[in-house]
Amino acid sequence: MNTIMRKSVLSVAGLAFAGGVFAGPIAAHANPAVDAKPAAVAVQADKPDTAKLIPHGTQGDQSHITLNDEQIGNAKAIIAATKKAGLPERAAVISIATSLQESKLENLGHLGDMNDHDSLGLFQQRPSSGWGTPEQITDPAYSTTAFLKGLKQVDGWQDMPLTQAAQTVQVSAYPDAYAQWEQQAA
């Protein structure tokens, strides 16, 4: 994986990598006179277990887009809302993949004639379907929390393939389309 892609993936997941840095108790006991040679200590952020993030493996061909700062910020907002809700990382993967399919992680307002009914926001939720007001739906934290509330109401969502869990909440005309984003979301 190239460096730019790795940094992009890690930043979306809210992870970081630092090399050549003293960390924790080592720094408190470092003696520059004794430790004349530079020491490199890699500090690795807790990497989520891929088996937990993609328990069923990816289904079908996978898509990938390069994310801009707004999209990365929206992915981070989804992760933060998932953590705040006390849900496992798998819920964030389902949420991010759903948003990638619905809006490419862009917080979409009303698109005029290009709009699918009155769909808005990261998840293309509809005020007329009870998801909230237009202002609420276009707030990333609110829209994610609303999506997660719907996900929690799906019996066994934790054990479902991503596309089945997402489709049960979203009720899309293209139910299998969510699966193509699972790898990037993870």
Side-chain angles (χ1 to χ4, degrees), residues 37-179:
K37 290 191 268 181
V41 177
V43 178
Q44 183 175 350
D46 292 334
K47 287 175 68 173
D49 180 2
T50 304
K52 288 182 181 178
L53 297 180
I54 309 175
H56 304 285
T58 56
Q59 299 173 0
D61 293 336
Q62 294 294 294
S63 295
H64 186 288
I65 59 172
T66 301
L67 303 178
N68 64 32
D69 290 343
E70 176 191 356
Q71 292 164 307
I72 290 169
N74 289 331
K76 287 180 178 182
I78 291 170
I79 292 167
T82 304
K83 287 179 180 179
K84 186 175 180 180
L87 291 173
E89 294 163 331
R90 177 68 176 156
V93 172
I94 294 169
S95 300
I96 291 170
T98 300
S99 181
L100 279 164
Q101 175 58 32
E102 296 292 346
S103 70
K104 302 297 184 277
L105 280 169
E106 293 178 5
N107 196 8
L108 300 175
H110 196 278
L111 301 175
D113 291 342
M114 294 175 31
N115 231 44
D116 179 22
H117 305 287
D118 57 342
S119 301
L120 301 168
L122 295 174
F123 296 90
Q124 289 295 279
Q125 295 160 328
R126 298 177 59 195
S128 64
S129 295
W131 285 101
T133 67
E135 293 78 22
Q136 290 172 321
I137 291 171
T138 54
D139 175 81
Y142 178 91
S143 63
T144 302
T145 301
F147 176 81
L148 293 170
K149 182 179 177 185
L151 185 64
K152 288 191 293 189
Q153 293 175 356
V154 176
D155 287 333
W157 69 266
Q158 303 92 330
D159 302 318
M160 290 180 180
L162 180 143
T163 196
Q164 184 181 355
Q167 172 61 12
T168 304
V169 176
Q170 293 293 104
V171 192
S172 170
Y174 305 98
D176 297 324
Y178 301 107

